Amino acid sequence: METLKRDRSPLGDAVALLVCGVLAGILAAAAAFPLAGLFGMAAENSIQSFESLPTELTKPALPQTSYVYASDGETLITSFFEENRREVALDEVSPLMVEALLAAEDSKFYEHNGVDWAGIIRAAVANQGGDSQGASTLTMQFVRNTLIYSASTIDEVIAASEDTYERKLREARYAMAIEESMSKEDILEGYLNVIYLGNQAYGVHAGSYSYFNKPPSELTLAEAATLASLPKFPSYADGLLDGEGDDSQILDRRNWVLQRMADLGSISQAEADEAIALPLGLNPRPERNECVDVATSNWGFFCDYFREWWAANPAFGETERERISLLNRGGFRIVTSLDAELQNEASEELADEVDVDSPEALGSVTITPGTGYVRAMAVNRNYSLDQTDNGPRTDGDDSKPSNYPATTIPLLSGNEEVNGYPGGSTFKMFTMLAALDKGWPLETRIPSPGQYASQYLMSGSALDDSTSDCQHFTRDGERYGHWCPKNDGSWSSAPLNMWGMFGRSSNTAFVRLQEMVGVSAAYEAAVASGVDFYNSPLNEAYENGTIDESQGTFTLGLHSTTPLEMAEAYATVAAGGLHCEPLPVVQIVGADGAEWTEAAAPQCDQAFPEEVAYAAVSAGRCVVGQNAEGTQCSGNGTAAAAASGFDRPLFGKTGTADSNRSYWFIGATPNAATATFVGDPDATHRENVATQSLKTSVKEAGIAILKDAVRDLEEEGWPKPSDAMVNGENLTSIPSISCMDPDDARSRVASAGFDASIASGRFDSDCKEGEAFGTSPTGSAPDGAPVYILVSNGSGYEEEEPDEDESSSPPGNRD
C-alpha cells in the first residue's frame, strides 16, 4: 500500500520528534502504571473527561434498519433506515469473518488490554519519517465508531473523530476501561455491528447482504476477506454494486488480508492461494429504503399508508418526528397485512381495465371484516417521484404535476391534497343503518316517484345554480325552491320496502327515508362505520346543529370519501356491526426480540347491534341479485348481472355520484370487503368522468378482485334478519288516507300518535288535485315517527260519467 508523505521543515521535524518522544514516554509509562497514572500525566481538563464511561459505550444504542414484510413474513416490501444496519450476535457470524477482521485490523486483539502501546510508539516514530501508520486497536476503533454513531450533535461527532492527541488519549482511556468491563467477545461483537463497510452498509449483517446477499454466518473465505478489507477503505467499493467502478483496489486489499491470514496461521497458504485466485463474486441485494423504493412498484401506495399509520400512532412516540425516527432507527421486524399475491392480482386487473396513462383513476381497497387488516391497495398508477413524463392536468392547473401515470399522492387513503371522491349512492347504506337502528323495519314501505319534492329548501346562489329545484315560492321577499331529486332515468314505482329501495337504488325513496330519520342520524351512522369526512363541511354542520337543514343531499353521496374508508365502512356491516380501524400490520417485533403486541392489535368497537347490521346485509344482497332466506328482493339489483358468477354469500352497493363525477362498487363477504371506484384525482368533482364503459369496468374489476380475495378463505355466511328487523316491534298502524282534505288527513294521522305533516309538492294519484291520497311511509311505523301526508296533482283523476238512464230520464221520473 502506498504511504502518505508529509512536507515538513527541519524545525518542524525537530519539534514533532520532541512532541512524539514526550507522547511516547507518557504512553509507555501509562502501560507500566495503573490506569490512574494516565490521569496524573494528562492535563487537568482531560482528567474530568475520563471520570466515567459514556452510557453510549456501556449500553450502545446504534441505529438499526427496520424491515417491512408482506403478510407471509418472508416477502420484503421495503426497509426504513438512517444507517443500514442490523445487529447480530457473535455466534451468527462466520468464524472466517472474525479471523479476517482480526488479521486486517488487530492481530493482537486477544493479547492487549485495549491499547497496543508498542504499536502506538512504533507508529509515532514511523510517522515522523513521513509514513502514515495507524495504531488504533479494534477496541479503540469500537470506541471511536460508537461515539460517532451515537452522537446527537455535530459537536459530538467532531469530538469523537477529530485528529488530536487529546481525542486519542481519551480513546485509549475508554478502550482500557471497556476492556475491564466487557469481555473480548462482547467487544468483538460490538465492533462487528458498528463498522462502516461502504455503500450505506453499517455492520457485518448489512455488509454481508449488500455485497453477497447472504447472512454473515454463510460467508466464504474470499467473501469474508473482502468485507474485512473495507473498514479502513470503504471507498474501494464505490460504484461496484452498480456494475461500475474499478475493482483492482479492493481486490488488492482483499488479497492482502488473505495473505495476512495465512502469515498469522489462521488459514493455510493453499487456502489463501485458492481464495486469491477467485474474482470478487459480488452478488448485491438492493437495499430498499422508504416507499419510493419498494420491491414491486404497485406496493408503494400500501407502503405509504403504512408509514402514515406509524407516524400517527402514539404508541411509537409523542410526536410524528419521534415516531418516524423510531421506525428509521429501531431495527423492527414488521409483518404487514399486505397480501402480496392479492395486491399483484388486483393491480393487474385494474391496469387491464384502465391504462396507467389514463387521467381516470381506477382503484380498489380490500379489508378484512372483524380485524381491519388491509390486504390490498391497488390503483392504475405508478408510485414514483419521477413525474417528468406525466400527462396534462385535467383541472388546468399547470403549477403542479398531474398524478398520472406517476404519483406519490395517497389516492386510496387520502390527505390534504386528495380528500377523496364523491361517494354517490353508497351513502344510502348509512341512511338505512340509521333507520333500522331507530326501529324502522325492512318492511317499511316508501313511495318511489320519478321525482320527489323534498323538504330541503334551496335559496340564493344555490337555487340559481341548481338544476334539481322545483315548487318555488317566496317568503319574506326571498325566493325559495324545494330540492327535487330524481331517480336515474326518472323511473317510478309503487311504495318499496327497504330491500327494493336499496336493491334498485331509489333516490327519491331514500331522500324520503332520510327525512324520516334525519341527516344527523345518517351522518352518525357513517362516522360510526368508519368515514371521517376529512375537511368536509359536514363535520362543522353537525357540530353547529345545522346539518339536518343544510345537508339534504347527504344520502345521495355528493360529499367525498376514500376507497379505504368505504371498504372500512362496509366491512363494519359485514362483521355484524363490529367496526375495526384499518390496520396495516399483523406483527411488530423490536430489535431486542420483544413483540409490540398492543400496537399491532386490532382496534374494534361495536358500532351497531348485530341485528341491525344483518338486516342491512339482507337489503344489500338484493343489489347483487342474491334473494337469500329472509330476503325479499324486488326488481333487478344494480349489480346483479356483474355478480352473477359469484358463488358465495355476498352483499354490496353501487354508487353513481351526481353528474357521473365518480362511480363505485363495494362488495363484501363475511371475511373480505372490497371498495372499487373510478374518479379523477386531479379534479375530484369533474363531471362525466364515469362513462358507461368505466362503470362496467368498476363492477367487473371489483367482483374479480373480491373473488381473488376469498379464493383461499373458508366460505361463510350471515344469519337471516330477525323478525323484529323485518316486521318491526311495537309498531302503530298508519291510518289510510283516500281522497280527503289534507288538513283532515293530517289530523287523522296525528291522532294515531304520529308526527304528521303535509309533504311539499304534488304527486300522481287518482284523487282530485289538492286532495290527500296517501302517506309516506305506509303501513305501520314506530309511535311518534314522522309521517308525511301526500297530496295529489290530479294527474290520474277522471270525472265520473253520469248513468245513461239517469241522464235521459226527465227530472222527477227516476225510480
Side-chain angles (χ1 to χ4, degrees), residues 427-439:
F427 276 30
K428 290 172 182 171
M429 170 62 77
F430 309 129
T431 305
M432 183 168 63
L433 285 168
L436 292 166
D437 198 34
K438 283 179 173 289

Side-chain angles (χ1 to χ4, degrees), residues 257-520:
V257 173
L258 289 167
Q259 186 58 54
R260 175 76 170 155
M261 293 175 72
D263 294 344
L264 292 171
S266 302
I267 58 174
S268 68
Q269 187 62 52
E271 290 173 321
D273 292 340
E274 182 180 357
I276 287 172
L278 294 174
L280 277 181
L282 299 179
N283 179 30
R285 181 183 75 174
E287 292 302 333
R288 308 192 179 281
N289 190 18
E290 298 281 352
C291 297
V292 293
D293 198 21
V294 291
T296 301
S297 61
N298 68 63
W299 299 352
F301 293 98
F302 174 87
C303 176
D304 182 85
Y305 173 67
F306 157 75
R307 186 184 183 280
E308 291 303 308
W309 172 85
W310 184 287
N313 196 325
F316 305 121
E318 293 185 2
T319 66
E320 179 177 331
R321 181 177 180 179
E322 289 177 0
R323 297 162 195 159
I324 294 300
S325 177
L326 180 65
L327 177 63
N328 290 335
R329 298 171 61 90
F332 291 96
R333 170 184 165 81
I334 301 163
V335 180
T336 72
S337 56
L338 179 72
D339 183 330
E341 183 178 4
L342 176 62
Q343 174 73 19
N344 292 339
E345 290 172 339
S347 297
E348 291 175 6
E349 184 72 36
L350 297 170
D352 286 345
E353 292 285 345
V354 180
D355 191 79
V356 296
D357 289 320
S358 170
E360 288 77 34
L362 180 64
S364 186
V365 174
T366 301
I367 282 181
T368 302
T371 62
Y373 291 139
V374 181
R375 293 180 58 196
M377 296 181 75
V379 65
N380 62 330
R381 291 290 188 272
N382 299 322
Y383 189 87
S384 174
L385 291 171
D386 184 5
Q387 297 164 10
T388 54
D389 294 329
N390 276 18
R393 287 188 66 90
T394 58
D395 62 359
D397 183 4
D398 296 331
S399 65
K400 51 189 176 182
S402 71
N403 67 76
Y404 67 96
T407 186
T408 57
I409 296 173
L411 305 182
L412 302 169
S413 54
N415 64 1
E416 60 276 358
E417 292 185 72
V418 175
N419 296 337
Y421 317 86
S425 292
T426 60
F427 276 30
K428 290 172 182 171
M429 170 62 77
F430 309 129
T431 305
M432 183 168 63
L433 285 168
L436 292 166
D437 198 34
K438 283 179 173 289
W440 293 95
L442 288 165
E443 272 291 4
T444 299
R445 293 182 178 270
I446 300 176
S448 181
Q451 184 176 36
Y452 173 61
S454 75
Q455 306 303 303
Y456 304 111
L457 299 180
M458 308 173 70
S459 64
S461 60
L463 182 61
D464 295 336
D465 297 338
S466 174
T467 59
S468 301
D469 58 290
C470 65
Q471 303 290 328
H472 297 151
F473 64 95
T474 301
R475 184 171 61 196
D476 298 329
E478 184 170 1
R479 189 168 61 94
Y480 291 88
H482 290 272
W483 176 53
C484 302
K486 297 179 181 180
N487 286 331
D488 186 24
S490 297
W491 64 270
S492 62
S493 169
L496 296 172
N497 59 24
M498 289 194 196
W499 289 292
M501 291 165 52
F502 200 72
R504 298 177 64 181
S505 198
S506 170
N507 291 338
T508 57
F510 261 95
V511 170
R512 176 68 193 99
L513 182 63
Q514 179 179 259
E515 290 174 335
M516 292 158 55
V517 300
V519 179
S520 55

Side-chain angles (χ1 to χ4, degrees), residues 53-96:
L53 279 172
T55 303
E56 54 264 35
L57 291 179
T58 57
K59 296 180 180 179
L62 302 175
Q64 298 190 62
T65 301
S66 293
Y67 292 98
V68 182
Y69 297 90
S71 59
D72 60 6
E74 298 178 358
T75 304
L76 183 67
I77 297 174
T78 192
S79 55
F80 292 86
F81 58 82
E82 290 179 0
E83 296 175 357
N84 181 22
R85 176 189 285 109
R86 189 77 175 180
E87 292 193 46
V88 292
L90 188 60
D91 60 9
E92 297 177 81
V93 180
S94 166
L96 290 172

Side-chain angles (χ1 to χ4, degrees), residues 115-136:
V115 180
D116 181 3
W117 301 105
I120 288 178
I121 295 171
R122 183 173 58 253
V125 173
N127 288 345
Q128 303 315 305
D131 292 339
S132 178
Q133 293 188 12
S136 293

Side-chain angles (χ1 to χ4, degrees), residues 367-371 571 573-576 614 617 621 646 648-651 667-673 706 710 713-719:
I367 282 181
T368 302
T371 62
V573 180
Y614 293 142
V617 165
R621 300 191 74 170
F646 198 91
R648 294 189 180 209
L650 169 72
F651 82 94
T669 71
N671 43 23
L706 192 56
V710 300
L713 304 179
E714 292 186 9
E715 182 174 329
E716 299 179 26
W718 296 280

Side-chain angles (χ1 to χ4, degrees), residues 630-684:
T631 297
Q632 303 172 32
C633 303
S634 62
N636 294 322
T638 57
S644 60
F646 198 91
D647 59 357
R648 294 189 180 209
L650 169 72
F651 82 94
K653 187 71 184 77
T654 58
T656 306
D658 180 55
S659 301
N660 291 312
R661 289 176 168 87
S662 62
Y663 185 78
W664 301 75
F665 171 69
I666 307 172
T669 71
N671 43 23
T674 296
T676 306
F677 86 106
V678 67
D680 182 356
D682 275 1
T684 56

Side-chain angles (χ1 to χ4, degrees), residues 173-319:
R173 169 66 184 96
Y174 285 162
M176 290 187 292
I178 282 178
E179 292 268 356
E180 291 180 347
S181 60
M182 294 174 64
S183 68
K184 288 285 187 178
E185 288 71 23
D186 288 342
I187 295 170
L188 185 57
E189 180 179 295
Y191 176 79
L192 286 165
N193 284 310
V194 77
I195 50 174
Y196 178 58
L197 299 174
N199 286 290
Q200 299 302 307
Y202 292 82
V204 68
H205 180 276
S208 184
Y209 275 101
S210 293
Y211 292 100
F212 302 109
N213 196 18
K214 61 174 60 175
S217 60
E218 298 178 8
L219 290 168
T220 66
L221 173 60
E223 291 167 348
T226 299
L227 293 184
S229 70
L230 292 174
K232 276 192 173 67
F233 304 99
S235 63
Y236 283 2
D238 286 350
L240 295 182
L241 300 188
D242 297 325
E244 301 176 357
D246 180 5
D247 64 2
S248 59
Q249 288 182 303
I250 194 173
L251 272 172
D252 289 346
R253 176 68 177 171
R254 181 203 69 174
N255 295 342
W256 177 86
V257 173
L258 289 167
Q259 186 58 54
R260 175 76 170 155
M261 293 175 72
D263 294 344
L264 292 171
S266 302
I267 58 174
S268 68
Q269 187 62 52
E271 290 173 321
D273 292 340
E274 182 180 357
I276 287 172
L278 294 174
L280 277 181
L282 299 179
N283 179 30
R285 181 183 75 174
E287 292 302 333
R288 308 192 179 281
N289 190 18
E290 298 281 352
C291 297
V292 293
D293 198 21
V294 291
T296 301
S297 61
N298 68 63
W299 299 352
F301 293 98
F302 174 87
C303 176
D304 182 85
Y305 173 67
F306 157 75
R307 186 184 183 280
E308 291 303 308
W309 172 85
W310 184 287
N313 196 325
F316 305 121
E318 293 185 2
T319 66

